[in-house]
Amino acid sequence: QVQLRESGGGSVQSGGSLRLSCAYSGIDYSRYCVGWFRQAPGKEREGVAAIDSDGSTSYTDAVKGRFTIAQDRSENALYLRMNSLKPEDTAMYYCAADFPCEVVTRPVDYKYNAVWGQGTLVAVSS
């Protein structure tokens, strides 16, 4: 059974940085992607960044060049380094596993399963 627990959210001014962490267990590295999603107030949840089973990474266009996803398999941990934060990055951020990698980079017209953490809030003020 996959379990995920995020930490590291908080409040920061525009232009600042945060690092989110996700402690996980039970992940089968051969299955799909692990990564980060976010949901802003009044908006649908969207993919932010993902790591495939071979270590390749992908990002949604809005965060390319600013966010970096990393994984430490020896520590069972996933990270999201967020630099140059903007007010529009304000959202609840969720660690996720077992989802199709492509959902981070493009809209899909099918429902998919994923395992979710409880979320950590990131608030960016202007």
Side-chain angles (χ1 to χ4, degrees), residues 96-117:
D98 288 357
F99 60 89
C101 304
E102 64 178 354
V103 302
V104 167
T105 56
R106 66 185 183 89
V108 295
D109 59 1
Y110 58 84
K111 291 187 181 295
Y112 58 91
N113 293 320
V115 181
W116 305 97

Side-chain angles (χ1 to χ4, degrees), residues 73-92:
R73 292 187 178 184
S74 67
E75 296 291 333
N76 284 353
L78 189 69
Y79 304 100
L80 184 69
R81 177 68 180 179
M82 304 184 294
N83 295 328
S84 301
L85 281 161
K86 305 175 181 180
E88 52 262 46
D89 294 318
T90 295
M92 186 72 79

Side-chain angles (χ1 to χ4, degrees), residues 1-5 23-28 31 34 95-98 114-117:
Q1 181 181 1
V2 177
Q3 293 185 322
L4 308 161
R5 186 176 72 251
Y24 59 75
S25 61
I27 284 184
D28 179 353
R31 290 178 56 85
V34 294
C95 182
D98 288 357
V115 181
W116 305 97

Side-chain angles (χ1 to χ4, degrees), residues 3-115:
Q3 293 185 322
L4 308 161
R5 186 176 72 251
E6 305 93 336
S7 61
S11 297
V12 64
Q13 289 190 328
S14 182
S17 298
L18 283 173
R19 190 180 80 154
L20 305 183
S21 299
C22 174
Y24 59 75
S25 61
I27 284 184
D28 179 353
Y29 292 113
S30 66
R31 290 178 56 85
Y32 299 119
C33 261
V34 294
W36 295 91
F37 286 69
R38 66 185 180 185
Q39 187 166 19
K43 295 188 177 181
E44 294 187 354
R45 185 151 46 188
E46 63 173 352
V48 175
I51 291 183
D52 204 341
S53 55
D54 64 359
S56 59
T57 59
S58 54
Y59 299 89
T60 191
D61 287 344
V63 308
K64 284 181 180 177
R66 301 188 297 122
F67 290 13
T68 302
I69 189 171
Q71 184 179 35
D72 186 338
R73 292 187 178 184
S74 67
E75 296 291 333
N76 284 353
L78 189 69
Y79 304 100
L80 184 69
R81 177 68 180 179
M82 304 184 294
N83 295 328
S84 301
L85 281 161
K86 305 175 181 180
E88 52 262 46
D89 294 318
T90 295
M92 186 72 79
Y93 283 72
Y94 297 90
C95 182
D98 288 357
F99 60 89
C101 304
E102 64 178 354
V103 302
V104 167
T105 56
R106 66 185 183 89
V108 295
D109 59 1
Y110 58 84
K111 291 187 181 295
Y112 58 91
N113 293 320
V115 181

